[in-house]
Amino acid sequence: MRNTHDQSFSKRPLKRGAVAVCLLTLAAIAAQAQDKPVQLKLSSWVPAQHPLNPALIAWAEDIKKASGGTITAIMFPSQQLGKAVDHYDMARDGIADFAYVNPGYQPGRFPVMAGASLPFLFANGKGGSAAIDAWYRAYAEREMKDVKFCFAFVHDPGTFHSRKKIVEPGDIKNMKVRPATDTVGQIVTTLGGTNVQASAPEARDALERGVADAITFPWNSMFLFGIEKAVKYHIDTPLYVTPFVWVMNKDKYNAMSTGQKKVIDEHCTTEWAEKVASPWADFEFAGRAKMAALPGHEVYGLTPAQLERWKKAVAPAEAQWAEDVKKAGQDPKAVLNSLHKSLAKYKAAL
């Protein structure tokens, strides 16, 4: 009888535990059902057919699923909600709930992030996106305090595309160049060139009108924006990447339920940064071979000696960046060392 009693008694906690789990599950379902529906406005300034947009839409669909359908989203591509240069402020002001931002479009505003576009750092866009996201999380809250930082990422490395052939650093002298970022712009200035400010959608027009002689751009996006029609020479070396961020309006986030905030937080991670950026990285990588096969275009490499001269010539840009970071209250050596370590960790160091 004692054994029977002991066995019967031992089952009671299990039953109680099962009931507790059921109650918690039901409570969670009930809480989710009580969440107010939230619709997010996602703003992207690249064309609808750009590979970044489907990746962001897939990200939003996963949020919808994870939130039990309480968080939905609408994508607004092609600068429908505002100019590319304004996207950070659009997220800050609630014009968009999430915005795709190129920090380099506002020179001097985000000095730490500008370090990611120093030349000859990134070997690829996939691991590079994980690396920049993991690195920048230590600085985002301070440098981008007006918004909720979601994640950072990069495109596959870009290079110079020009109307006249560029081989040596000295060839930049007296040229008008549309730089991808403020850091690249500093390089152009250091080499004796003139910067022409134009967003990606405006770049082809600037080149065709002779306002610019060259552009720094990733490979396949040249075709997406029609820029290959305005240039014919292309240096085949990974010169730079452009850092981007995906940021959220703080008020929109704060108005969500605890459960909904958790869903957003779980989709603002280093893993998601790489996942969202990977289709674009593959897209850009394929553009180099496409350009090389295009009649009338010359895709050419640099000799080791030429590459060393380039690295030496662009060194002052790092010194200028370091000064800007110091003014922002950060240690540039520590910031850059941290980036190098992250690149090595994610196998993205050049």
Side-chain angles (χ1 to χ4, degrees), residues 28-40 59-60 62-73 98 148 150 248 251-268:
I29 293 170
Q32 194 173 74
Q34 290 169 8
D35 286 344
K36 293 179 181 178
V38 175
Q39 187 171 76
L40 301 172
W59 169 86
D62 203 77
I63 286 177
K64 180 180 178 181
K65 181 180 177 182
S67 68
T70 67
I71 305 175
T72 57
F98 272 94
K148 175 178 169 55
C150 186
M248 184 181 186
D251 290 339
K252 193 76 170 188
Y253 177 78
N254 290 334
M256 289 180 167
S257 72
T258 300
Q260 288 172 328
K261 287 177 182 176
K262 184 174 183 290
V263 170
I264 295 295
D265 292 343
E266 289 172 348
H267 286 77
C268 290

mmCIF file of all heavy atoms in Angstrom, residues 28-40 59-60 62-73 98 148 150 248 251-268:
data_model
loop_
_atom_site.group_PDB
_atom_site.id
_atom_site.type_symbol
_atom_site.label_atom_id
_atom_site.label_comp_id
_atom_site.label_asym_id
_atom_site.label_seq_id
_atom_site.Cartn_x
_atom_site.Cartn_y
_atom_site.Cartn_z
ATOM 1 N N ALA A 28 -0.551 33.513 -22.211
ATOM 2 C CA ALA A 28 0.257 34.132 -23.269
ATOM 3 C C ALA A 28 -0.570 34.361 -24.522
ATOM 4 O O ALA A 28 -0.486 35.415 -25.161
ATOM 5 C CB ALA A 28 1.466 33.243 -23.589
ATOM 6 N N ILE A 29 -1.392 33.348 -24.862
ATOM 7 C CA ILE A 29 -2.262 33.480 -26.041
ATOM 8 C C ILE A 29 -3.271 34.597 -25.832
ATOM 9 O O ILE A 29 -3.521 35.416 -26.720
ATOM 10 C CB ILE A 29 -2.985 32.142 -26.331
ATOM 11 C CG1 ILE A 29 -1.967 31.077 -26.778
ATOM 12 C CG2 ILE A 29 -4.058 32.323 -27.392
ATOM 13 C CD1 ILE A 29 -2.541 29.669 -26.844
ATOM 14 N N ALA A 30 -3.821 34.654 -24.616
ATOM 15 C CA ALA A 30 -4.801 35.700 -24.306
ATOM 16 C C ALA A 30 -4.169 37.086 -24.362
ATOM 17 O O ALA A 30 -4.754 38.029 -24.882
ATOM 18 C CB ALA A 30 -5.396 35.452 -22.920
ATOM 19 N N ALA A 31 -2.919 37.174 -23.834
ATOM 20 C CA ALA A 31 -2.223 38.465 -23.843
ATOM 21 C C ALA A 31 -1.948 38.906 -25.273
ATOM 22 O O ALA A 31 -2.115 40.080 -25.631
ATOM 23 C CB ALA A 31 -0.915 38.350 -23.067
ATOM 24 N N GLN A 32 -1.551 37.933 -26.123
ATOM 25 C CA GLN A 32 -1.278 38.253 -27.519
ATOM 26 C C GLN A 32 -2.554 38.681 -28.225
ATOM 27 O O GLN A 32 -2.549 39.615 -29.033
ATOM 28 C CB GLN A 32 -0.667 37.035 -28.210
ATOM 29 C CG GLN A 32 -0.030 37.353 -29.559
ATOM 30 C CD GLN A 32 0.697 36.159 -30.119
ATOM 31 O OE1 GLN A 32 0.069 35.210 -30.584
ATOM 32 N NE2 GLN A 32 2.009 36.182 -30.092
ATOM 33 N N ALA A 33 -3.649 38.013 -27.893
ATOM 34 C CA ALA A 33 -4.933 38.357 -28.504
ATOM 35 C C ALA A 33 -5.374 39.755 -28.099
ATOM 36 O O ALA A 33 -6.078 40.436 -28.843
ATOM 37 C CB ALA A 33 -5.988 37.333 -28.100
ATOM 38 N N GLN A 34 -4.951 40.194 -26.910
ATOM 39 C CA GLN A 34 -5.325 41.519 -26.428
ATOM 40 C C GLN A 34 -4.422 42.622 -26.966
ATOM 41 O O GLN A 34 -4.708 43.804 -26.820
ATOM 42 C CB GLN A 34 -5.290 41.534 -24.896
ATOM 43 C CG GLN A 34 -6.412 40.705 -24.256
ATOM 44 C CD GLN A 34 -6.206 40.526 -22.769
ATOM 45 O OE1 GLN A 34 -5.315 41.128 -22.184
ATOM 46 N NE2 GLN A 34 -7.050 39.688 -22.155
ATOM 47 N N ASP A 35 -3.276 42.234 -27.564
ATOM 48 C CA ASP A 35 -2.376 43.235 -28.137
ATOM 49 C C ASP A 35 -3.103 44.039 -29.208
ATOM 50 O O ASP A 35 -3.782 43.480 -30.069
ATOM 51 C CB ASP A 35 -1.149 42.563 -28.767
ATOM 52 C CG ASP A 35 -0.167 42.049 -27.730
ATOM 53 O OD1 ASP A 35 -0.280 42.475 -26.567
ATOM 54 O OD2 ASP A 35 0.694 41.232 -28.088
ATOM 55 N N LYS A 36 -2.918 45.327 -29.167
ATOM 56 C CA LYS A 36 -3.535 46.173 -30.181
ATOM 57 C C LYS A 36 -2.822 45.964 -31.514
ATOM 58 O O LYS A 36 -1.597 45.853 -31.555
ATOM 59 C CB LYS A 36 -3.438 47.641 -29.765
ATOM 60 C CG LYS A 36 -4.268 47.993 -28.550
ATOM 61 C CD LYS A 36 -4.104 49.462 -28.197
ATOM 62 C CE LYS A 36 -4.930 49.814 -26.956
ATOM 63 N NZ LYS A 36 -4.743 51.239 -26.568
ATOM 64 N N PRO A 37 -3.562 45.910 -32.615
ATOM 65 C CA PRO A 37 -2.915 45.764 -33.926
ATOM 66 C C PRO A 37 -1.992 46.952 -34.215
ATOM 67 O O PRO A 37 -2.335 48.099 -33.922
ATOM 68 C CB PRO A 37 -4.093 45.745 -34.908
ATOM 69 C CG PRO A 37 -5.265 45.352 -34.083
ATOM 70 C CD PRO A 37 -5.025 45.915 -32.716
ATOM 71 N N VAL A 38 -0.831 46.657 -34.738
ATOM 72 C CA VAL A 38 0.159 47.682 -35.086
ATOM 73 C C VAL A 38 0.521 47.523 -36.552
ATOM 74 O O VAL A 38 0.858 46.420 -36.992
ATOM 75 C CB VAL A 38 1.436 47.547 -34.230
ATOM 76 C CG1 VAL A 38 2.495 48.530 -34.699
ATOM 77 C CG2 VAL A 38 1.122 47.752 -32.760
ATOM 78 N N GLN A 39 0.438 48.601 -37.303
ATOM 79 C CA GLN A 39 0.885 48.565 -38.695
ATOM 80 C C GLN A 39 2.100 49.473 -38.838
ATOM 81 O O GLN A 39 2.063 50.644 -38.442
ATOM 82 C CB GLN A 39 -0.210 49.024 -39.653
ATOM 83 C CG GLN A 39 0.184 48.828 -41.124
ATOM 84 C CD GLN A 39 -0.965 49.084 -42.071
ATOM 85 O OE1 GLN A 39 -1.324 50.229 -42.323
ATOM 86 N NE2 GLN A 39 -1.544 48.016 -42.608
ATOM 87 N N LEU A 40 3.160 48.912 -39.388
ATOM 88 C CA LEU A 40 4.420 49.631 -39.526
ATOM 89 C C LEU A 40 4.599 50.154 -40.948
ATOM 90 O O LEU A 40 4.353 49.433 -41.913
ATOM 91 C CB LEU A 40 5.589 48.700 -39.185
ATOM 92 C CG LEU A 40 5.606 48.090 -37.784
ATOM 93 C CD1 LEU A 40 6.712 47.050 -37.681
ATOM 94 C CD2 LEU A 40 5.783 49.164 -36.722
ATOM 95 N N TRP A 59 11.572 39.916 -43.693
ATOM 96 C CA TRP A 59 11.818 40.212 -42.265
ATOM 97 C C TRP A 59 10.509 40.638 -41.588
ATOM 98 O O TRP A 59 10.179 40.165 -40.493
ATOM 99 C CB TRP A 59 12.872 41.309 -42.193
ATOM 100 C CG TRP A 59 13.111 41.945 -40.856
ATOM 101 C CD1 TRP A 59 13.948 41.498 -39.874
ATOM 102 C CD2 TRP A 59 12.524 43.164 -40.371
ATOM 103 N NE1 TRP A 59 13.913 42.365 -38.803
ATOM 104 C CE2 TRP A 59 13.058 43.392 -39.081
ATOM 105 C CE3 TRP A 59 11.621 44.084 -40.903
ATOM 106 C CZ2 TRP A 59 12.697 44.507 -38.315
ATOM 107 C CZ3 TRP A 59 11.264 45.196 -40.147
ATOM 108 C CH2 TRP A 59 11.794 45.396 -38.876
ATOM 109 N N ALA A 60 9.757 41.502 -42.247
ATOM 110 C CA ALA A 60 8.490 41.979 -41.693
ATOM 111 C C ALA A 60 7.452 40.858 -41.610
ATOM 112 O O ALA A 60 6.660 40.800 -40.659
ATOM 113 C CB ALA A 60 7.950 43.133 -42.539
ATOM 114 N N ASP A 62 8.113 37.749 -41.071
ATOM 115 C CA ASP A 62 8.484 36.922 -39.931
ATOM 116 C C ASP A 62 8.029 37.569 -38.615
ATOM 117 O O ASP A 62 7.630 36.879 -37.674
ATOM 118 C CB ASP A 62 9.996 36.693 -39.907
ATOM 119 C CG ASP A 62 10.383 35.441 -39.141
ATOM 120 O OD1 ASP A 62 10.220 34.342 -39.687
ATOM 121 O OD2 ASP A 62 10.832 35.572 -37.980
ATOM 122 N N ILE A 63 8.058 38.888 -38.562
ATOM 123 C CA ILE A 63 7.555 39.624 -37.400
ATOM 124 C C ILE A 63 6.043 39.411 -37.264
ATOM 125 O O ILE A 63 5.529 39.197 -36.158
ATOM 126 C CB ILE A 63 7.888 41.123 -37.518
ATOM 127 C CG1 ILE A 63 9.378 41.355 -37.256
ATOM 128 C CG2 ILE A 63 7.039 41.963 -36.569
ATOM 129 C CD1 ILE A 63 9.825 42.777 -37.417
ATOM 130 N N LYS A 64 5.349 39.456 -38.374
ATOM 131 C CA LYS A 64 3.902 39.233 -38.361
ATOM 132 C C LYS A 64 3.577 37.856 -37.788
ATOM 133 O O LYS A 64 2.692 37.709 -36.928
ATOM 134 C CB LYS A 64 3.344 39.354 -39.781
ATOM 135 C CG LYS A 64 1.841 39.129 -39.885
ATOM 136 C CD LYS A 64 1.364 39.276 -41.333
ATOM 137 C CE LYS A 64 -0.135 39.011 -41.448
ATOM 138 N NZ LYS A 64 -0.589 39.136 -42.863
ATOM 139 N N LYS A 65 4.304 36.859 -38.245
ATOM 140 C CA LYS A 65 4.088 35.494 -37.776
ATOM 141 C C LYS A 65 4.395 35.374 -36.285
ATOM 142 O O LYS A 65 3.614 34.794 -35.512
ATOM 143 C CB LYS A 65 4.972 34.533 -38.579
ATOM 144 C CG LYS A 65 4.819 33.076 -38.193
ATOM 145 C CD LYS A 65 5.745 32.203 -39.039
ATOM 146 C CE LYS A 65 5.651 30.742 -38.624
ATOM 147 N NZ LYS A 65 6.594 29.895 -39.435
ATOM 148 N N ALA A 66 5.528 35.933 -35.865
ATOM 149 C CA ALA A 66 5.952 35.827 -34.468
ATOM 150 C C ALA A 66 5.024 36.581 -33.518
ATOM 151 O O ALA A 66 4.923 36.228 -32.336
ATOM 152 C CB ALA A 66 7.380 36.330 -34.318
ATOM 153 N N SER A 67 4.370 37.612 -34.035
ATOM 154 C CA SER A 67 3.483 38.420 -33.190
ATOM 155 C C SER A 67 2.039 37.929 -33.227
ATOM 156 O O SER A 67 1.139 38.599 -32.706
ATOM 157 C CB SER A 67 3.528 39.892 -33.635
ATOM 158 O OG SER A 67 2.936 40.047 -34.919
ATOM 159 N N GLY A 68 1.825 36.796 -33.865
ATOM 160 C CA GLY A 68 0.470 36.281 -33.981
ATOM 161 C C GLY A 68 -0.414 37.152 -34.852
ATOM 162 O O GLY A 68 -1.639 37.199 -34.672
ATOM 163 N N GLY A 69 0.212 37.839 -35.790
ATOM 164 C CA GLY A 69 -0.539 38.681 -36.724
ATOM 165 C C GLY A 69 -0.863 40.068 -36.199
ATOM 166 O O GLY A 69 -1.526 40.851 -36.897
ATOM 167 N N THR A 70 -0.368 40.417 -35.010
ATOM 168 C CA THR A 70 -0.706 41.744 -34.453
ATOM 169 C C THR A 70 0.182 42.856 -34.995
ATOM 170 O O THR A 70 -0.166 44.027 -34.907
ATOM 171 C CB THR A 70 -0.628 41.738 -32.909
ATOM 172 O OG1 THR A 70 0.739 41.546 -32.495
ATOM 173 C CG2 THR A 70 -1.504 40.649 -32.321
ATOM 174 N N ILE A 71 1.346 42.493 -35.545
ATOM 175 C CA ILE A 71 2.234 43.494 -36.144
ATOM 176 C C ILE A 71 2.323 43.234 -37.642
ATOM 177 O O ILE A 71 2.821 42.200 -38.080
ATOM 178 C CB ILE A 71 3.647 43.456 -35.540
ATOM 179 C CG1 ILE A 71 3.601 43.604 -34.016
ATOM 180 C CG2 ILE A 71 4.504 44.569 -36.138
ATOM 181 C CD1 ILE A 71 4.963 43.444 -33.341
ATOM 182 N N THR A 72 1.820 44.158 -38.425
ATOM 183 C CA THR A 72 1.896 44.057 -39.882
ATOM 184 C C THR A 72 2.689 45.246 -40.415
ATOM 185 O O THR A 72 2.990 46.195 -39.686
ATOM 186 C CB THR A 72 0.492 44.034 -40.515
ATOM 187 O OG1 THR A 72 -0.210 45.217 -40.115
ATOM 188 C CG2 THR A 72 -0.281 42.808 -40.057
ATOM 189 N N ALA A 73 3.029 45.188 -41.686
ATOM 190 C CA ALA A 73 3.866 46.256 -42.247
ATOM 191 C C ALA A 73 3.536 46.513 -43.712
ATOM 192 O O ALA A 73 3.080 45.612 -44.424
ATOM 193 C CB ALA A 73 5.341 45.888 -42.113
ATOM 194 N N PHE A 98 9.962 52.465 -39.647
ATOM 195 C CA PHE A 98 11.296 51.915 -39.863
ATOM 196 C C PHE A 98 11.859 52.580 -41.114
ATOM 197 O O PHE A 98 11.130 52.766 -42.104
ATOM 198 C CB PHE A 98 11.264 50.397 -40.083
ATOM 199 C CG PHE A 98 11.328 49.585 -38.820
ATOM 200 C CD1 PHE A 98 10.161 49.162 -38.205
ATOM 201 C CD2 PHE A 98 12.548 49.245 -38.251
ATOM 202 C CE1 PHE A 98 10.206 48.412 -37.045
ATOM 203 C CE2 PHE A 98 12.605 48.484 -37.093
ATOM 204 C CZ PHE A 98 11.432 48.064 -36.476
ATOM 205 N N LYS A 148 15.432 54.127 -32.403
ATOM 206 C CA LYS A 148 15.767 52.800 -31.887
ATOM 207 C C LYS A 148 16.562 52.074 -32.968
ATOM 208 O O LYS A 148 16.064 51.814 -34.056
ATOM 209 C CB LYS A 148 14.505 52.001 -31.545
ATOM 210 C CG LYS A 148 14.837 50.563 -31.125
ATOM 211 C CD LYS A 148 13.620 49.780 -30.734
ATOM 212 C CE LYS A 148 13.952 48.287 -30.578
ATOM 213 N NZ LYS A 148 15.073 48.028 -29.633
ATOM 214 N N CYS A 150 18.003 49.147 -34.942
ATOM 215 C CA CYS A 150 17.589 47.756 -35.156
ATOM 216 C C CYS A 150 18.791 46.914 -35.576
ATOM 217 O O CYS A 150 19.176 45.995 -34.875
ATOM 218 C CB CYS A 150 16.473 47.676 -36.186
ATOM 219 S SG CYS A 150 15.793 46.010 -36.393
ATOM 220 N N MET A 248 14.264 52.471 -36.106
ATOM 221 C CA MET A 248 12.837 52.541 -35.810
ATOM 222 C C MET A 248 12.491 53.808 -35.037
ATOM 223 O O MET A 248 13.290 54.304 -34.237
ATOM 224 C CB MET A 248 12.433 51.313 -34.990
ATOM 225 C CG MET A 248 10.942 51.206 -34.697
ATOM 226 S SD MET A 248 10.549 49.737 -33.700
ATOM 227 C CE MET A 248 8.746 49.830 -33.726
ATOM 228 N N ASP A 251 8.834 56.318 -30.510
ATOM 229 C CA ASP A 251 7.462 56.383 -29.996
ATOM 230 C C ASP A 251 6.646 55.175 -30.443
ATOM 231 O O ASP A 251 5.828 54.651 -29.681
ATOM 232 C CB ASP A 251 6.774 57.673 -30.456
ATOM 233 C CG ASP A 251 7.352 58.908 -29.779
ATOM 234 O OD1 ASP A 251 7.972 58.754 -28.706
ATOM 235 O OD2 ASP A 251 7.187 60.023 -30.320
ATOM 236 N N LYS A 252 6.871 54.737 -31.682
ATOM 237 C CA LYS A 252 6.154 53.568 -32.193
ATOM 238 C C LYS A 252 6.507 52.331 -31.370
ATOM 239 O O LYS A 252 5.633 51.534 -30.998
ATOM 240 C CB LYS A 252 6.507 53.343 -33.667
ATOM 241 C CG LYS A 252 5.593 52.347 -34.377
ATOM 242 C CD LYS A 252 4.243 52.976 -34.696
ATOM 243 C CE LYS A 252 3.406 52.092 -35.599
ATOM 244 N NZ LYS A 252 2.186 52.764 -36.059
ATOM 245 N N TYR A 253 7.796 52.194 -31.083
ATOM 246 C CA TYR A 253 8.253 51.049 -30.290
ATOM 247 C C TYR A 253 7.696 51.117 -28.872
ATOM 248 O O TYR A 253 7.183 50.121 -28.345
ATOM 249 C CB TYR A 253 9.782 51.038 -30.252
ATOM 250 C CG TYR A 253 10.374 49.935 -29.399
ATOM 251 C CD1 TYR A 253 10.453 48.633 -29.868
ATOM 252 C CD2 TYR A 253 10.861 50.217 -28.118
ATOM 253 C CE1 TYR A 253 11.001 47.618 -29.085
ATOM 254 C CE2 TYR A 253 11.407 49.214 -27.326
ATOM 255 C CZ TYR A 253 11.483 47.923 -27.816
ATOM 256 O OH TYR A 253 12.017 46.930 -27.041
ATOM 257 N N ASN A 254 7.770 52.282 -28.256
ATOM 258 C CA ASN A 254 7.329 52.430 -26.860
ATOM 259 C C ASN A 254 5.823 52.221 -26.683
ATOM 260 O O ASN A 254 5.361 51.871 -25.593
ATOM 261 C CB ASN A 254 7.731 53.800 -26.326
ATOM 262 C CG ASN A 254 9.234 53.923 -26.139
ATOM 263 O OD1 ASN A 254 9.923 52.928 -25.931
ATOM 264 N ND2 ASN A 254 9.758 55.134 -26.242
ATOM 265 N N ALA A 255 5.056 52.429 -27.756
ATOM 266 C CA ALA A 255 3.603 52.259 -27.680
ATOM 267 C C ALA A 255 3.180 50.799 -27.798
ATOM 268 O O ALA A 255 2.014 50.469 -27.575
ATOM 269 C CB ALA A 255 2.928 53.084 -28.773
ATOM 270 N N MET A 256 4.114 49.928 -28.116
ATOM 271 C CA MET A 256 3.789 48.508 -28.273
ATOM 272 C C MET A 256 3.663 47.816 -26.921
ATOM 273 O O MET A 256 4.162 48.303 -25.898
ATOM 274 C CB MET A 256 4.886 47.810 -29.092
ATOM 275 C CG MET A 256 4.907 48.192 -30.553
ATOM 276 S SD MET A 256 6.234 47.298 -31.417
ATOM 277 C CE MET A 256 5.786 47.623 -33.117
ATOM 278 N N SER A 257 3.022 46.659 -26.936
ATOM 279 C CA SER A 257 2.932 45.849 -25.723
ATOM 280 C C SER A 257 4.294 45.228 -25.433
ATOM 281 O O SER A 257 5.188 45.213 -26.288
ATOM 282 C CB SER A 257 1.899 44.737 -25.914
ATOM 283 O OG SER A 257 2.392 43.751 -26.811
ATOM 284 N N THR A 258 4.439 44.686 -24.230
ATOM 285 C CA THR A 258 5.698 44.030 -23.855
ATOM 286 C C THR A 258 6.020 42.886 -24.809
ATOM 287 O O THR A 258 7.163 42.717 -25.247
ATOM 288 C CB THR A 258 5.602 43.489 -22.418
ATOM 289 O OG1 THR A 258 5.342 44.588 -21.533
ATOM 290 C CG2 THR A 258 6.897 42.811 -21.994
ATOM 291 N N GLY A 259 4.994 42.113 -25.151
ATOM 292 C CA GLY A 259 5.198 40.994 -26.070
ATOM 293 C C GLY A 259 5.598 41.440 -27.464
ATOM 294 O O GLY A 259 6.450 40.828 -28.103
ATOM 295 N N GLN A 260 4.986 42.501 -27.926
ATOM 296 C CA GLN A 260 5.311 43.014 -29.254
ATOM 297 C C GLN A 260 6.727 43.583 -29.286
ATOM 298 O O GLN A 260 7.461 43.410 -30.272
ATOM 299 C CB GLN A 260 4.290 44.072 -29.657
ATOM 300 C CG GLN A 260 2.916 43.499 -29.990
ATOM 301 C CD GLN A 260 1.870 44.564 -30.197
ATOM 302 O OE1 GLN A 260 1.909 45.636 -29.588
ATOM 303 N NE2 GLN A 260 0.891 44.279 -31.053
ATOM 304 N N LYS A 261 7.120 44.264 -28.227
ATOM 305 C CA LYS A 261 8.494 44.783 -28.144
ATOM 306 C C LYS A 261 9.491 43.631 -28.206
ATOM 307 O O LYS A 261 10.536 43.737 -28.864
ATOM 308 C CB LYS A 261 8.693 45.563 -26.845
ATOM 309 C CG LYS A 261 8.021 46.920 -26.805
ATOM 310 C CD LYS A 261 8.233 47.574 -25.445
ATOM 311 C CE LYS A 261 7.531 48.919 -25.369
ATOM 312 N NZ LYS A 261 7.657 49.531 -24.024
ATOM 313 N N LYS A 262 9.156 42.535 -27.531
ATOM 314 C CA LYS A 262 10.042 41.370 -27.542
ATOM 315 C C LYS A 262 10.203 40.825 -28.964
ATOM 316 O O LYS A 262 11.311 40.452 -29.374
ATOM 317 C CB LYS A 262 9.471 40.292 -26.619
ATOM 318 C CG LYS A 262 10.357 39.057 -26.458
ATOM 319 C CD LYS A 262 9.778 38.120 -25.403
ATOM 320 C CE LYS A 262 10.679 36.914 -25.163
ATOM 321 N NZ LYS A 262 10.684 35.977 -26.301
ATOM 322 N N VAL A 263 9.121 40.796 -29.706
ATOM 323 C CA VAL A 263 9.190 40.324 -31.092
ATOM 324 C C VAL A 263 10.109 41.230 -31.926
ATOM 325 O O VAL A 263 10.949 40.749 -32.697
ATOM 326 C CB VAL A 263 7.779 40.267 -31.728
ATOM 327 C CG1 VAL A 263 7.878 40.026 -33.232
ATOM 328 C CG2 VAL A 263 6.953 39.170 -31.077
ATOM 329 N N ILE A 264 9.959 42.537 -31.762
ATOM 330 C CA ILE A 264 10.820 43.482 -32.486
ATOM 331 C C ILE A 264 12.275 43.275 -32.095
ATOM 332 O O ILE A 264 13.172 43.201 -32.946
ATOM 333 C CB ILE A 264 10.393 44.947 -32.223
ATOM 334 C CG1 ILE A 264 8.994 45.209 -32.794
ATOM 335 C CG2 ILE A 264 11.418 45.918 -32.808
ATOM 336 C CD1 ILE A 264 8.893 45.114 -34.303
ATOM 337 N N ASP A 265 12.529 43.174 -30.788
ATOM 338 C CA ASP A 265 13.908 42.992 -30.311
ATOM 339 C C ASP A 265 14.533 41.725 -30.881
ATOM 340 O O ASP A 265 15.729 41.702 -31.217
ATOM 341 C CB ASP A 265 13.932 42.921 -28.778
ATOM 342 C CG ASP A 265 13.577 44.246 -28.122
ATOM 343 O OD1 ASP A 265 13.621 45.283 -28.814
ATOM 344 O OD2 ASP A 265 13.232 44.240 -26.917
ATOM 345 N N GLU A 266 13.730 40.679 -31.004
ATOM 346 C CA GLU A 266 14.242 39.405 -31.539
ATOM 347 C C GLU A 266 14.487 39.461 -33.043
ATOM 348 O O GLU A 266 15.104 38.548 -33.606
ATOM 349 C CB GLU A 266 13.256 38.279 -31.199
ATOM 350 C CG GLU A 266 13.250 37.916 -29.717
ATOM 351 C CD GLU A 266 12.139 36.949 -29.340
ATOM 352 O OE1 GLU A 266 11.227 36.732 -30.188
ATOM 353 O OE2 GLU A 266 12.155 36.428 -28.211
ATOM 354 N N HIS A 267 14.025 40.519 -33.685
ATOM 355 C CA HIS A 267 14.269 40.716 -35.119
ATOM 356 C C HIS A 267 15.247 41.857 -35.384
ATOM 357 O O HIS A 267 15.457 42.254 -36.536
ATOM 358 C CB HIS A 267 12.944 40.964 -35.845
ATOM 359 C CG HIS A 267 12.116 39.725 -35.994
ATOM 360 N ND1 HIS A 267 11.393 39.177 -34.956
ATOM 361 C CD2 HIS A 267 11.924 38.892 -37.063
ATOM 362 C CE1 HIS A 267 10.780 38.083 -35.377
ATOM 363 N NE2 HIS A 267 11.088 37.885 -36.645
ATOM 364 N N CYS A 268 15.826 42.375 -34.319
ATOM 365 C CA CYS A 268 16.852 43.420 -34.431
ATOM 366 C C CYS A 268 18.148 42.867 -33.863
ATOM 367 O O CYS A 268 18.614 43.293 -32.789
ATOM 368 C CB CYS A 268 16.414 44.683 -33.690
ATOM 369 S SG CYS A 268 15.047 45.561 -34.493
#
